[in-house]
């Protein structure tokens, strides 16, 4: 069932990315929609506004989850494309290992920014 | 009456004989055509009148044995790998059946179109994934896996799921839909693959109902016919004939 779980997560993260990306777009670039819900953000792309938002627990969790879902979706998709070239079992293991390492490093670097801003 | 003008069409036939040719090449033939002729008619004309030996059969994504003859071994090997037969725990009944298994018309409908597969391989030859991934299980085997898993008489899903649930299995289908467009018998292989994906996810997450395999229907003890059928006797053959 391992491949089914991997692929189900691929589908689920695809749907979640659409939701998270949509929310990010609304927060950053579509203030009129936020205004419709009674939320006012003054100049969302300004430094002050961004630093203020970075102190919120919700947005810290939001962006770390967004990063995790996007990384999983992208790297698992990349692995699927590479495996379609029918590499040997050993090459397949090496590719999978490299992709996992790449994902972990990227996640550590990517999540460092919101965590550091939250603590500042 | 003026003589009828004969139209000729140029056929470019890819030829290849691994025993003599280094690589496949195109050979051209001029074929007179008339209304109602098919491509196959043209090829038969070439085979009978123009070419010395021309084998007419071709499928992309299949190894070539000679000219247009594809090697179906891989297709049939993948087909047999998914155990394309009813699997049940009552092995004695399977070996020596005493009755039929019950199946409602609705249960039959759930897989009927997929049982029309004639193993022609057209779905595999049209598939872009099969073109790039030679180890891909393919639509034919995947759809036949669904056909048996969806059969209410079957209880062998757990034997088949590991075969389709691999790196080169069911999940590698890109849903291009070329198989369904190419298939000649009205079967929709792309739909079958999506339904099998749903079965696999439901099984992995423990969702959905898990119906028991269909029970046996005891044979009727006494059948009263509504109409009278006259007795039929075979006339004795004369010994001298």
């Amino acid at each position: 069932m391992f491949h089914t779980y991997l692929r189900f997560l691929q589908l689920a993260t695809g749907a979640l990315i659409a939701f998270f990306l949509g929310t990010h777009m609304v927060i950053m670039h579509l203030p009129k929609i936020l205004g419709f819900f009674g939320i006012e953000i003054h100049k969302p792309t300004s430094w002050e506004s961004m630093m203020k938002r970075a102190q919120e627990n919700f947005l810290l969790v939001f962006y770390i989850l967004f990063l995790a879902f996007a990384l999983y979706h992208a790297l698992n998709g990349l692995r699927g494309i590479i495996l379609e070239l029918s590499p040997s079992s050993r090459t397949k293991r090496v590719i999978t290992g490299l992709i996992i390492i790449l994902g972990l490093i990227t996640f550590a670097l990517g999540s460092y920014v919101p965590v550091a801003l939250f603590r500042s | 009456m003026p003589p009828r003008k004969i139209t000729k069409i140029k056929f470019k036939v890819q030829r290849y004989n691994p025993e003599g040719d280094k690589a496949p090449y195109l050979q051209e033939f001029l074929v007179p055509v008339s209304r109602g002729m098919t491509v196959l008619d043209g090829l038969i004309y070439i085979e009978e009148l123009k070419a010395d030996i021309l084998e007419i059969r071709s499928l992309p994504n299949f190894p070539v044995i000679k000219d247009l003859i594809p090697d179906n071994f891989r297709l049939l090997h993948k087909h047999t790998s998914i155990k394309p037969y009813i699997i049940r725990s009552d092995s004695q009944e399977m070996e020596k059946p005493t009755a039929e298994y019950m199946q409602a018309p609705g249960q039959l409908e759930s897989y009927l179109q997929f049982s029309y597969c004639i193993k022609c391989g057209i779905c595999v030859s049209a598939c872009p994934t099969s073109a790039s991934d030679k180890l891909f299980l393919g639509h034919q085997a995947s759809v036949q896996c669904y056909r048996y898993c969806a059969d209410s008489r079957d209880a062998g899903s757990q034997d088949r799921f590991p075969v389709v649930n691999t790196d080169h299995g069911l999940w590698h289908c890109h849903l291009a839909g070329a198989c369904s467009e190419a298939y000649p018998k009205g079967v929709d292989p792309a739909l079958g693959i999506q339904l099998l994906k749903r079965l696999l996810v439901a099984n992995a997450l423990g969702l959905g109902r898990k119906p028991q395999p269909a029970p046996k229907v005891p044979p009727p003890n006494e059948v009263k016919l509504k109409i009278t059928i006259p007795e039929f006797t075979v006339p004795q053959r004369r010994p001298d004939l």
Side-chain angles (χ1 to χ4, degrees), chain B residues 94-121:
Chain B
M94 293 292 290
E95 292 294 325
K96 292 178 182 173
T98 56
E100 293 177 356
Y101 293 121
M102 191 160 67
Q103 188 165 65
Q107 292 170 322
L108 174 68
E109 283 289 326
S110 66
Y111 70 86
L112 183 62
Q113 68 153 310
F114 306 113
S115 67
Y116 293 148
C117 170
I118 54 171
K119 297 160 202 68
C120 59

Side-chain angles (χ1 to χ4, degrees), chain A residues 83-99:
Chain A
L83 293 195
E84 206 166 284
L85 302 172
S86 311
S88 65
S89 307
R90 188 172 173 274
T91 316
K92 206 185 287 182
R93 282 198 300 274
V94 171
I95 289 166
T96 305
L98 285 176
I99 284 176

Side-chain angles (χ1 to χ4, degrees), chain A residues 1 3-5 80 83-84 86, chain B residues 132-133 165 167-168 172 174 204:
Chain A
M1 290 295 113
H3 291 84
T4 300
Y5 290 128
L83 293 195
E84 206 166 284
S86 311
Chain B
S132 59
D133 182 0
N165 208 357
D167 267 337
H168 300 279
H172 237 167
H174 294 190

Side-chain angles (χ1 to χ4, degrees), chain A residues 47 50-51 54-55 112-120:
Chain A
W47 174 257
M50 190 270 287
M51 287 302 286
Q55 306 296 317
Y112 169 76
V113 177
V115 170
L117 287 175
F118 182 76
R119 284 182 173 176
S120 64

Side-chain angles (χ1 to χ4, degrees), chain B:
Chain B
M1 189 177 167
R4 203 174 58 177
K5 192 182 170 189
I6 297 172
T7 311
K8 288 189 174 182
I9 280 184
K10 191 188 288 180
F11 272 64
K12 290 181 180 177
V13 181
Q14 178 175 292
R15 308 207 62 184
Y16 178 56
N17 183 352
E19 291 173 3
D21 305 328
K22 285 182 180 174
Y25 63 94
L26 288 174
Q27 192 173 356
E28 293 184 358
F29 300 95
L30 275 177
V31 177
V33 292
S34 57
R35 185 183 287 271
M37 263 184 80
T38 63
V39 174
L40 183 62
D41 291 333
L43 288 172
I44 290 168
Y45 174 86
I46 293 168
E47 184 192 19
E48 290 181 351
L49 299 175
K50 296 273 185 178
D52 44 353
I53 301 168
L54 179 70
E55 302 292 352
I56 304 168
R57 266 169 283 173
S58 176
L59 284 175
N61 296 342
F62 281 83
V64 174
I65 294 174
K66 188 183 175 188
D67 282 339
L68 305 174
I69 305 176
D71 185 356
N72 281 346
F73 173 77
R74 219 157 42 191
L75 174 86
L76 297 175
H77 176 70
K78 288 172 182 170
H79 175 67
T80 50
S81 72
I82 57 103
K83 302 181 181 176
Y85 41 84
I86 299 286
I87 299 171
R88 291 179 65 102
S89 53
D90 47 355
S91 52
Q92 277 199 336
E93 178 65 22
M94 293 292 290
E95 292 294 325
K96 292 178 182 173
T98 56
E100 293 177 356
Y101 293 121
M102 191 160 67
Q103 188 165 65
Q107 292 170 322
L108 174 68
E109 283 289 326
S110 66
Y111 70 86
L112 183 62
Q113 68 153 310
F114 306 113
S115 67
Y116 293 148
C117 170
I118 54 171
K119 297 160 202 68
C120 59
I122 285 178
C123 56
V124 176
S125 70
C127 173
T129 311
S130 294
S132 59
D133 182 0
K134 297 297 172 201
L135 300 176
F136 178 50
L137 184 67
H139 296 72
Q140 194 276 334
S142 303
V143 170
Q144 287 311 295
C145 178
Y146 176 74
R147 177 254 175 271
Y148 285 97
C149 291
D151 193 323
S152 60
R153 300 166 296 176
D154 183 81
S157 299
Q158 298 305 324
D159 293 345
R160 297 190 190 96
F161 285 167
V163 182
V164 294
N165 208 357
T166 64
D167 267 337
H168 300 279
L170 171 79
W171 295 105
H172 237 167
C173 168
H174 294 190
L175 196 55
C179 50
S180 298
E181 201 160 298
Y183 203 79
K185 295 279 287 178
V187 181
D188 188 351
L191 171 68
I193 286 198
Q194 294 309 102
L195 292 171
L196 183 58
K197 283 178 181 174
R198 190 167 72 180
L199 270 188
L200 278 173
V201 170
N203 179 64
L205 301 179
L207 303 172
R209 290 184 295 119
K210 292 181 180 58
Q212 293 297 313
K216 285 188 293 184
V217 183
N221 294 326
E222 195 177 324
V223 178
K224 287 181 182 173
L225 295 174
K226 289 181 181 173
I227 54 169
T228 317
I229 300 171
E231 268 191 34
F232 178 74
T233 51
V234 180
Q236 290 291 316
R237 187 177 269 188
R238 281 168 51 194
D240 56 325
L241 289 178

